[in-house]
Amino acid sequence: MTALLTVDDLRVRFPTRTGVIEAVRGVSFTLGRERLGIVGESGSGKSQTGRAIMGLTPSHAEVTGTLSFGGIDLLSAPPKIRRDLRGKRIAMILQDPKYSLNPVMSIGRQIVETLRRHEKIGRAEARERALDMLAAVQIRDPARVFDLYPHEVSGGMGQRAMIAMMLVAGPELLIADEPTSALDVTVQLEVLSILDKLVADRGMGLIFVSHDLRLVSSFCDRVLVMYAGRIVEEIAASDLGNAKHPYTQGLLNCMPVIGADRHPLPVLDRKPEWAL
Ligand SMILES: Nc1ncnc2c1ncn2[C@@H]1O[C@H](COP(=O)(O)OP(=O)(O)OP(=O)(O)O)[C@@H](O)[C@H]1O
Ligand SMILES: [Mg+2]
């Protein structure tokens, strides 16, 4: 497997008045053209890991380590190189689509502008590509949705429009941060199967961030389990039943089992030494 992305000893620190918050504390992994899941509880550093790769860490934070993407050392690359990569070769679906779509610009125009920022193509061709992309994310009436504003579409359509915007320039790496957590289960599966197809068709690398272990294990090839800013376990999705770390075992144990009468419900155990 040729690595698309290599992350080595990534650390993200936020200086605050009351001390330094270490959001990511020495994360290392490599990613090929595969689907890699990152799971972990709220605050474990999943989003900050994704944001560091995308180059969206808040400016007051300190990022150290090595991020190597297609031979480019991201952390020492000039801002222009990083800007050009962002959206073109690396794309990220943010946790909350409401903050990613511009409320005063129609959906179609947002997709067209993303495309024209990265490729020298004419308006008509960009419009065609945007419409094709809206169709690819299973929006039934692309020509109508093209002219709608974000507040005029449903949550699921907004999410799909954002996925279309992120994929229109044909990125090699897609970071999807809880791309479906705001959707109901049926739309969730639909959006996931769209992502799955696009990843397979285009040979992209995917980092899929979620706190839902079941979803991640059914959707990804490999899973990283994060706890308190570190990777505590790396495991093939098919091998999850053999997880060694007690935190992963705890997460697995807490998954509901259809038909099983579980009383009392299991509670996730956390040991201070896991966060050392
Ligand atoms: N702008 C910020 N300033 C200070 N601390 C921050 C900031 N952003 C995130 N953090 C801290 O970094 C840690 C990791 O946050 P992160 O957003 O990566 O968590 P997460 O695993 O994505 O959680 P969730 O599942 O809730 O999305 C948290 O402790 C959080 O409080
Ligand atoms: Mg997050």
Side-chain angles (χ1 to χ4, degrees):
M1 182 179 77
T2 51
L4 183 62
L5 172 77
T6 308
V7 177
D8 190 29
D9 197 26
L10 176 69
R11 288 166 193 272
V12 180
R13 296 186 197 84
F14 292 95
T16 66
R17 264 170 295 147
T18 50
V20 176
I21 295 178
E22 294 192 277
V24 180
R25 304 184 304 146
V27 161
S28 304
F29 63 90
T30 56
L31 176 85
R33 298 189 185 275
E34 58 174 329
R35 293 163 302 181
L36 175 74
I38 302 184
V39 284
E41 62 189 0
S42 187
S44 55
K46 307 181 297 296
S47 294
Q48 289 305 329
T49 301
R51 283 174 166 270
I53 297 165
M54 182 72 176
L56 289 179
T57 309
S59 58
H60 65 282
E62 185 189 306
V63 184
T64 59
T66 313
L67 295 174
S68 166
F69 172 78
I72 304 169
D73 180 0
L74 293 180
L75 293 183
S76 63
K80 166 146 181 22
I81 301 258
R82 282 216 95 176
R83 260 199 318 273
D84 289 347
L85 283 176
R86 202 161 37 230
K88 172 69 189 155
R89 297 183 62 193
I90 308 179
M92 183 165 181
I93 301 172
L94 291 172
Q95 200 160 359
D96 194 334
K98 283 201 286 292
Y99 299 116
S100 311
L101 292 172
N102 183 343
V104 295
M105 202 191 271
S106 73
I107 296 214
R109 227 184 108 202
Q110 296 189 44
I111 301 176
V112 164
E113 294 225 337
T114 307
L115 195 51
R116 287 180 39 115
R117 190 152 56 235
H118 296 293
E119 287 178 39
K120 285 197 169 41
I121 58 171
R123 272 186 194 286
E125 190 190 342
R127 186 184 155 88
E128 279 311 306
R129 291 254 308 265
L131 288 170
D132 285 349
M133 199 64 230
L134 285 173
V137 296
Q138 312 271 305
I139 284 185
R140 268 175 285 276
D141 189 355
R144 186 179 69 90
V145 174
F146 189 93
D147 292 317
L148 297 181
Y149 285 82
H151 73 272
E152 295 173 314
V153 300
S154 69
M157 277 163 86
Q159 197 116 28
R160 276 178 271 182
M162 196 179 61
I163 294 175
M165 190 165 93
M166 292 306 157
L167 294 180
V168 73
E172 292 150 68
L173 169 63
L174 176 68
I175 305 163
D177 190 357
E178 309 261 8
T180 59
S181 55
L183 304 176
D184 73 53
V185 181
T186 46
V187 184
Q188 212 176 58
L189 291 177
E190 217 174 270
V191 170
L192 285 181
S193 70
I194 293 166
L195 271 184
D196 199 33
K197 184 164 184 310
L198 292 169
V199 169
D201 290 354
R202 298 170 173 217
M204 280 192 289
L206 173 74
I207 298 179
F208 182 78
V209 173
S210 174
H211 57 262
D212 188 335
L213 188 56
R214 187 197 301 272
L215 196 65
V216 167
S217 59
S218 64
F219 187 64
C220 296
D221 310 304
R222 200 153 55 97
V223 181
L224 305 178
V225 183
M226 282 189 77
Y227 185 80
R230 282 191 206 283
I231 295 174
V232 294
E233 182 139 31
E234 180 181 338
I235 193 164
S238 55
D239 203 26
L240 216 64
N242 297 323
K244 288 190 187 62
H245 196 275
Y247 177 67
T248 321
Q249 290 171 348
L251 284 179
L252 286 166
N253 189 39
C254 288
M255 293 213 276
V257 181
I258 290 173
D261 182 15
R262 303 181 104 192
H263 202 75
L265 285 171
V267 176
L268 198 58
D269 206 14
R270 294 181 182 81
K271 299 237 161 45
E273 60 267 28
W274 299 346
L276 291 181

